[in-house]
Amino acid sequence: MTTKTADWRVYPAAELTPILAASLTEFAEHGYNGTSVRSIAGRVGVTVPALYYHHENKQALLVALLDQAMELITSHSEAAAAEAGDDPRRRLGAIVEAIVHYMVQCRDLAFLNSEMRSLTTENRARYVAQRDRVDRLLCDTIQAGIDDGSFGVPWASDATRAILSMCQGIAGWYDPAGTETPQVIADRHVHLALAMVEAGGPRLTEGAKKA
């Protein structure tokens, strides 16, 4: 169950224990494979056995952080969709805006998506199931727009992957010291997302759909 959020455009600082905060910093700076439990313990100022008292291993630290990440983006995306209502254009725009704000406000957590490759098979399946909630929310919205004629693109799944890939890339290039504000970046990506699904544009011919 996701938590309620008063303003889905504002992501509060993740409530991390000192060990998890240090783990996030280490993973962001050195990657999962380049980080050792000893380096995390040293950053926190505890012994390795003390760290193991709270977390079974390095994998458990990554899983705990990914749980936090998925809770944040899911709760905010669902809140954005609920506020937007049933209109596919408004709903798609709100979901994309929520995702973009997550990417710029929670860059280190957003970066952890790239560490999915480091998860065990069981933990990867669990993480994918969590991530799929946002994917389905976006895909269902696009499909609803296709069904009612709001969107001209006929490929809901492809459009979903394209939009998510575009948004996920933000965490890699966004600079808080840059001239573009998070809201400007969000607005532009909403515009791009709506263009991708051909919002309000002509529907493709049957021949083009099969091409």
Side-chain angles (χ1 to χ4, degrees):
M1 178 181 296
T2 54
T3 56
K4 293 183 178 179
T5 177
D7 185 350
W8 49 263
R9 294 178 179 85
V10 178
Y11 284 80
E15 297 180 359
L16 301 177
T17 64
I19 291 175
L20 287 179
S23 300
L24 179 58
T25 300
E26 286 286 320
F27 292 155
E29 290 181 358
H30 307 294
Y32 180 82
N33 289 330
T35 296
S36 67
V37 171
R38 186 172 299 279
S39 67
I40 295 171
R43 184 180 286 270
V44 181
V46 300
T47 64
V48 170
L51 188 150
Y52 281 136
Y53 176 79
H54 296 282
H55 299 276
E56 182 180 2
N57 50 36
K58 187 172 70 167
Q59 180 81 184
L61 293 167
L62 178 59
V63 168
L65 288 169
L66 287 172
D67 283 346
Q68 288 265 9
M70 288 299 98
E71 170 62 21
L72 278 172
I73 192 169
T74 302
S75 63
H76 283 246
S77 297
E78 291 180 346
E83 182 181 296
D86 294 332
D87 178 77
R89 294 180 183 85
R90 288 177 53 84
R91 194 174 176 87
L92 175 61
I95 296 168
V96 170
E97 189 175 350
I99 294 172
V100 172
H101 278 293
Y102 168 74
M103 295 298 168
V104 300
Q105 295 179 44
C106 308
R107 286 182 303 153
D108 286 351
L109 281 175
F111 160 79
L112 289 182
N113 180 70
S114 65
E115 294 294 352
M116 181 177 70
R117 63 183 182 274
S118 301
L119 292 170
T120 64
T121 300
E122 180 180 357
N123 286 331
R124 186 182 302 113
R126 180 169 175 269
Y127 172 65
V128 169
Q130 292 175 312
R131 194 182 62 178
D132 280 352
R133 290 181 60 179
V134 176
D135 292 15
R136 286 195 302 270
L137 183 67
L138 186 58
C139 191
D140 288 349
T141 298
I142 295 172
Q143 187 61 57
I146 293 171
D147 292 342
D148 74 3
S150 297
F151 303 150
V153 66
W155 314 290
S157 295
D158 291 332
T160 298
R161 285 191 292 269
I163 291 170
L164 288 174
S165 295
M166 173 181 71
C167 292
Q168 287 166 352
I170 296 170
W173 59 257
Y174 173 68
D175 181 1
T179 58
E180 296 176 345
T181 67
Q183 191 58 54
V184 166
I185 294 171
D187 290 344
R188 290 178 180 174
H189 280 72
V190 168
H191 181 90
L192 290 168
L194 289 171
M196 282 186 188
V197 297
E198 301 176 15
R203 297 187 65 82
L204 293 179
T205 65
E206 289 302 317
K209 291 179 184 179
K210 296 176 182 178

